[in-house]
């Protein structure tokens, strides 16, 4: 290489440089320098890697420390929030407990006849606040809604009670592990629905409550027994005698095992069994069962408790049916005297009716009339006084309206029931009672307007009891408006179709008969009348009510025969109906009894039947005269 360079390029002589010397040393010591470079590279790489790892670890540690500080801060915040939440929850629980204690005091106030108008206002405001103030505490919210609903029920504000109890139930269904609370809500709701005569709905709700309780508690638990007791009351209205009796005997076995022989709940179940035995005509068995119930009440509650006195009254009714009149009178007098002392004279009409029925059976008609007249005057004075000082007392207004009806003071009764309808337009019963008062008072124009109200508000109901009840109201008097007959027929069909029991077939079937007659289906009307009249007495202890209903059915049957051109059969049925009507109270007596609406139905149909059959007979006789 050197020769090549020397041959072709000029050479400049100069001293060797540092770089030249370094290269020369490297060439001469390649192995040593290679090893050194490798070691140096390893040291550099190792140092770099160590530095990188150090920096990375330091960053990780810093991030971990930062995260730990953040977590500690979050824990402190969470603890502070939890402490605040516990404080708020404790405060809410205290408020809720205070409200519950306050609201639960309303029940005794109602029972003692106090004015609860201010309490109703407080209750309404509380109900409005609950949904806003406890939205984050559904358990507390549901508990308060339940309390409010039950107090509404005590105040007979059934529709408000239903609304609150449904809300409580819906809340509890969303809570995990709250099945037992759901069962409690179902039971409360079922009880209110039963009070509103919506028995089929009540039955479904109570059956669900019972199923939940049995699944979680077993069959030997007091809550299961209480739920079964509630259900029995509804099944008695919607089911068969056999079904109801089987349930009652099952309940009695449970109560004897769980509660022992001396308990008021056991006495109540015994009374239900006695009632069932009486409806089957087993009067000797009914008397023994009722005496056992009475003995239990006297032992547990004492002689002057309202439940004990009511048991005396029930025993007197059974003794009356057995013909033990002297003993029945003594028992009924004891019941009436005790009830007037404990509860008050304005609440003794049922006891009074029981005693006067026995006196009439003994032939003591003058004494029965005098007793009724004396007590009626006191009862009316007490009702007027109560409403004058407490005009917001719905229960007193209702009682006065019904009282005026039984006294035959139709205009006053109709006015009171009109006011009740204004206050509670969804309550079905006042419509029927106002219809009866208007018809018997002769105010047919107001009666027609009332029929329109019934059609608009209840025409589509599927509740058997409500449908059949209001069908009677709409169909009571022939109408020129075909919609009355159509609505009445639809309601009567609903009653017959949806009632699944056997205890009260008579009123449903006789209502259907009247509906068929108003629609011009006379043969069908006669068939339904015969079905109704073939039924045993629904409540044999209420002789007046039974006779009112049978008289009404005979009148419809007589008119159906007449329209079918069967005059002999028509006159025979009319005579049978008039014979029954002769046993009913007379308007001049001043007291038509507790079942005066049934009395009005019988009287209205009797007038119609007599006008149709006897009027045509007289017209025919006049035509035959020369």
């Amino acid at each position: 290489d050197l020769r090549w360079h020397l041959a072709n390029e000029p050479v400049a002589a100069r001293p060797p440089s540092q770089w030249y010397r370094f290269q020369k040393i490297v060439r001469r010591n390649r192995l040593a320098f290679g090893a050194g470079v490798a070691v140096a590279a390893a040291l550099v790489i190792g140092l770099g890697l160590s530095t990188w790892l150090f920096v990375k670890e330091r960053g990780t540690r810093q991030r971990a420390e930062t995260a730990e500080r953040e977590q500690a801060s979050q824990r402190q915040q969470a603890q502070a929030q939890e402490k605040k939440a516990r404080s708020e929850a404790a405060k809410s629980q205290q408020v809720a407990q205070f409200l519950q204690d306050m609201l639960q005091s309303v029940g005794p106030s109602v029972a003692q006849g106090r004015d609860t108008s201010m309490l109703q206002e407080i209750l309404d405001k509380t109900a409005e606040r609950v949904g806003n103030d406890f939205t984050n505490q559904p358990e507390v919210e549901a508990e308060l809604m339940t309390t409010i609903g039950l107090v509404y029920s005590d105040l007979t504000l059934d529709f408000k009670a239903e609304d609150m109890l449904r809300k409580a139930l819906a809340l509890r269904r969303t809570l995990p592990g709250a099945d037992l609370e759901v069962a409690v809500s179902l039971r409360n709701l079922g009880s209110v629905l039963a009070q509103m005569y919506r028995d089929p709905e009540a039955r479904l709700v109570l059956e669900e409550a019972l199923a939940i309780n049995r699944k979680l508690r077993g069959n030997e638990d007091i809550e299961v027994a209480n739920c079964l007791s509630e259900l029995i009351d509804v099944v008695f209205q919607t089911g068969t005698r056999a079904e109801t009796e089987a349930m009652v005997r099952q309940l009695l076995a449970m109560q004897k095992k769980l509660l022992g022989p001396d308990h008021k709940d056991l006495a109540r179940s015994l009374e239900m069994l006695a009632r069932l035995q009486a409806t089957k005509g087993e009067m000797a068995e009914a008397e023994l069962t009722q005496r056992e119930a009475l003995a239990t009440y006297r032992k547990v509650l004492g002689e002057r408790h309202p439940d004990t006195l009511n048991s005396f009254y029930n025993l007197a009714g059974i003794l009356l049916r057995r013909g033990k009149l002297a003993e029945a009178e003594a028992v009924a007098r004891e019941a009436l005297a005790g009830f007037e002392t404990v509860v008050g004279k304005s609440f003794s009409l049922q006891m009074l009716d029981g005693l006067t029925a026995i006196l009439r059976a003994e032939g003591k008609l003058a004494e029965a009339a005098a007793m009724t007249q004396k007590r009626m005057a006191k009862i009316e004075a007490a009702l007027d006084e109560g409403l004058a000082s407490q005009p917001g007392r719905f229960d007193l207004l209702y009682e006065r309206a019904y009282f005026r009806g039984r006294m035959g003071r139709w205009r006053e009764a109709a006015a009171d029931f009109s006011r009740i309808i204004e206050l509670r337009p969804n309550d079905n019963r006042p419509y029927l009672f106002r219809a009866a008062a208007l018809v018997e008072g002769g105010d047919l124009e107001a009666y027609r307007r009332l029929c329109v109200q019934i059609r608009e508000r209840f025409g589509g109901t599927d509740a058997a009891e409500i449908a059949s009840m209001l069908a009677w109201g709409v169909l009571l008097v022939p109408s020129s408006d075909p919609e009355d007959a159509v609505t009445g027929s639809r309601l009567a069909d609903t009653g017959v179709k949806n009632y699944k029991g056997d205890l009260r077939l008579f009123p449903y079937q006789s209502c259907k008969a009247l509906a068929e007659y108003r629609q011009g289906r006379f043969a069908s009307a006669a068939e339904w009348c015969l079905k109704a009249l073939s039924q045993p007495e629904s409540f044999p202890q209420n002789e007046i009510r039974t006779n009112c209903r049978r008289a009404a059915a005979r009148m419809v049957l007589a008119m159906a025969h007449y329209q079918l051109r069967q005059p002999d059969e028509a006159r025979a049925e009319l005579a049978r109906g008039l014979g029954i009507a002769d046993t009913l109270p007379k308007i001049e007596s001043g007291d038509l009894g507790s079942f005066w609406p049934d009395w009005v139905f019988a009287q209205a149909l009797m007038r119609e039947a007599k006008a149709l059959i006897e009027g045509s007979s007289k017209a025919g006789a006049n035509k035959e005269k020369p």
Side-chain angles (χ1 to χ4, degrees):
D1 291 338
L2 178 61
R3 287 194 300 271
W4 186 85
H5 282 293
L6 292 177
N8 296 283
E9 297 290 339
V11 177
R14 61 179 177 179
S17 65
Q18 295 295 329
W19 173 244
Y20 172 77
R21 290 176 180 174
F22 175 74
Q23 287 179 319
K24 188 175 182 181
I25 293 171
V26 170
R27 284 196 297 270
R28 291 176 179 176
N29 301 279
R30 291 178 183 274
L31 183 61
F33 268 96
V37 170
V39 170
L43 288 173
V44 171
I45 293 172
L47 180 61
L49 182 60
S50 299
T51 302
W52 178 75
L53 291 173
F54 171 75
V55 173
K56 180 180 180 181
E57 182 181 357
R58 184 178 179 183
T60 301
R61 186 167 63 252
Q62 288 177 344
R63 287 193 298 271
E65 291 173 354
T66 302
E68 186 176 351
R69 286 194 298 270
E70 291 177 354
Q71 290 176 357
S73 176
Q74 290 175 355
R75 283 196 298 271
Q76 290 176 353
Q77 292 178 1
Q79 289 172 355
Q81 291 175 354
E82 184 179 355
K83 183 178 180 180
K84 182 180 179 181
R86 284 198 300 267
S87 176
E88 291 178 351
K91 181 180 178 181
S92 296
Q93 290 284 4
Q94 291 173 354
V95 172
Q97 187 61 50
F98 170 77
L99 288 173
Q100 282 184 282
D101 293 342
M102 181 192 70
L103 295 174
Q104 287 171 350
S105 68
V106 176
S109 298
V110 176
Q112 295 168 14
R114 298 174 183 168
D115 186 2
T116 59
S117 55
M118 184 177 295
L119 289 171
Q120 290 183 45
E121 293 179 11
I122 295 173
L123 198 64
D124 290 341
K125 292 179 180 178
T126 304
E128 292 177 3
R129 292 287 303 274
V130 166
N132 297 324
D133 293 355
F134 299 96
T135 53
N136 295 325
Q137 300 173 62
E139 297 91 343
V140 176
E141 186 179 0
E143 189 67 28
L144 270 176
M145 285 180 171
T146 298
T147 300
I148 294 171
L150 294 176
V151 176
Y152 273 138
S153 179
D154 286 338
L155 295 172
T156 67
L157 300 172
D158 294 331
F159 292 97
K160 290 185 177 182
E162 180 191 359
D163 179 60
M164 295 306 296
L165 293 175
R166 285 194 183 278
K167 289 179 179 178
L169 174 60
L171 268 177
R172 285 174 167 169
R173 287 192 189 277
T174 66
L175 300 176
D179 288 346
L180 290 177
E181 288 76 14
V182 169
V184 171
S185 287
L186 287 166
R187 179 184 165 196
N188 291 332
L189 178 60
S191 178
V192 169
L193 290 173
Q195 293 174 13
M196 299 167 72
Y197 295 92
R198 290 158 60 182
D199 295 316
E201 291 179 75
R203 178 169 182 168
L204 291 175
V205 169
L206 290 170
E207 284 176 340
E208 184 181 355
L210 181 61
I212 293 173
N213 278 319
R214 278 179 165 160
K215 178 181 179 181
L216 299 178
R217 301 176 185 271
N219 206 40
E220 294 183 359
D221 184 270
I222 191 59
E223 180 61 24
V224 174
N226 292 338
C227 195
L228 179 59
S229 179
E230 294 269 3
L231 179 58
I232 286 172
D233 290 339
V234 175
V235 173
F236 183 74
Q237 303 296 330
T238 62
T240 65
R241 291 178 176 87
E243 179 184 18
T244 309
E245 183 174 346
M247 295 176 69
V248 170
R249 293 191 181 278
Q250 180 186 10
L251 176 61
L252 282 168
M254 293 172 61
Q255 289 174 329
K256 288 177 180 178
K257 186 173 183 178
L258 295 169
L259 303 174
D262 301 325
H263 198 280
K264 62 181 180 62
D265 290 349
L266 180 67
R268 184 176 181 276
S269 298
L270 287 168
E271 284 201 305
M272 176 59 80
L273 179 59
R275 187 178 181 184
L276 284 166
Q277 290 168 331
T279 63
K280 295 193 299 180
E282 300 171 352
M283 299 311 301
E285 293 84 349
E287 180 183 346
L288 289 175
T289 305
Q290 185 62 48
R291 287 187 184 279
E292 184 180 355
L294 175 58
T296 304
Y297 275 130
R298 297 172 80 174
K299 185 175 182 178
V300 176
L301 301 177
E303 297 285 339
R304 286 295 178 261
H305 191 278
D307 290 346
T308 305
L309 296 168
N310 192 65
S311 190
F312 271 108
Y313 166 78
N314 292 334
L315 177 60
I318 293 173
L319 292 171
L320 170 61
R321 290 199 61 205
R322 297 207 69 193
K324 299 181 178 182
L325 300 183
E327 186 179 3
E329 180 183 344
V331 172
R333 286 185 183 278
E334 183 173 357
L336 178 60
F339 213 81
E340 289 184 339
T341 301
V342 174
V343 181
K345 291 180 173 56
S346 63
F347 295 91
S348 61
L349 280 172
Q350 184 183 30
M351 301 291 178
L352 176 62
D353 290 340
L355 177 55
T356 54
I358 295 170
L359 292 175
R360 286 194 296 269
E362 292 178 301
K364 302 177 181 179
L365 303 182
E367 183 180 358
M371 179 180 294
T372 299
Q373 185 175 6
K374 179 180 178 181
R375 279 177 168 79
M376 285 296 190
K378 292 182 178 180
I379 291 171
E380 183 176 16
L383 288 170
D384 289 341
E385 181 181 354
L387 282 169
S389 60
Q390 304 176 48
R393 285 284 301 276
F394 172 84
D395 57 329
L396 291 180
L397 178 61
Y398 201 104
E399 189 172 347
R400 188 179 73 176
Y402 205 82
F403 175 84
R404 286 174 167 177
R406 72 178 286 166
M407 297 290 287
R409 290 156 54 180
W410 309 118
R411 183 173 299 178
E412 294 170 279
D416 277 350
F417 283 121
S418 178
R419 175 59 179 156
I420 292 171
I421 290 172
E422 291 176 6
L423 293 173
R424 300 190 179 183
N426 291 322
D427 189 347
N428 58 85
R429 292 166 296 173
Y431 291 85
L432 176 70
F433 303 148
R434 176 167 162 76
L438 291 173
V439 166
E440 200 62 22
D443 192 350
L444 296 184
E445 183 177 350
Y447 168 72
R448 294 298 173 208
R449 292 195 299 270
L450 181 65
C451 289
V452 174
Q453 287 183 273
I454 293 174
R455 292 203 315 257
E456 293 176 348
R457 187 167 292 275
F458 301 101
T461 183
D462 59 356
E465 177 83 1
I466 296 173
S468 182
M469 179 187 298
L470 294 180
W472 276 104
V474 172
L475 298 170
L476 185 54
V477 176
S479 173
S480 58
D481 186 349
E483 281 300 311
D484 286 335
V486 171
T487 300
S489 180
R490 182 167 61 249
L491 291 170
D493 287 342
T494 299
V496 171
K497 178 181 177 181
N498 292 352
Y499 178 64
K500 305 301 182 182
D502 64 357
L503 187 63
R504 296 182 298 156
L505 281 173
F506 186 97
Y508 288 104
Q509 292 175 344
S510 57
C511 180
K512 174 65 174 175
L514 179 58
E516 293 293 280
Y517 181 80
R518 295 290 183 229
Q519 290 278 69
R521 297 189 283 264
F522 305 122
S524 178
E527 291 177 6
W528 280 104
C529 280
L530 292 174
K531 286 181 181 180
L533 291 167
S534 68
Q535 298 296 330
E537 298 176 356
S538 301
F539 299 99
Q541 61 271 36
N542 300 328
E543 183 180 0
I544 293 177
R545 187 177 201 178
T546 298
N547 286 344
C548 286
R549 290 179 170 179
R550 291 190 174 276
R554 291 288 178 187
M555 298 303 171
V556 176
L557 181 57
M559 291 189 292
H561 280 309
Y562 177 83
Q563 299 291 358
L564 292 170
R565 301 184 184 279
Q566 299 169 345
D568 292 340
E569 290 85 345
R571 284 190 290 270
E573 288 300 335
L574 177 62
R576 293 188 184 98
L578 292 174
I580 298 173
D582 285 342
T583 68
L584 302 179
K586 303 296 186 288
I587 188 66
E588 56 268 20
S589 68
D591 178 26
L592 301 174
S594 297
F595 305 110
W596 63 266
D598 297 276
W599 182 91
V600 170
F601 302 152
Q603 296 297 317
L605 291 171
M606 181 177 67
R607 289 193 296 269
E608 183 180 354
K610 289 179 69 176
L612 179 67
I613 298 171
E614 293 183 349
S616 64
S617 298
K618 291 178 180 178
N622 290 333
K623 286 182 180 180
E624 293 176 0
K625 291 181 180 180

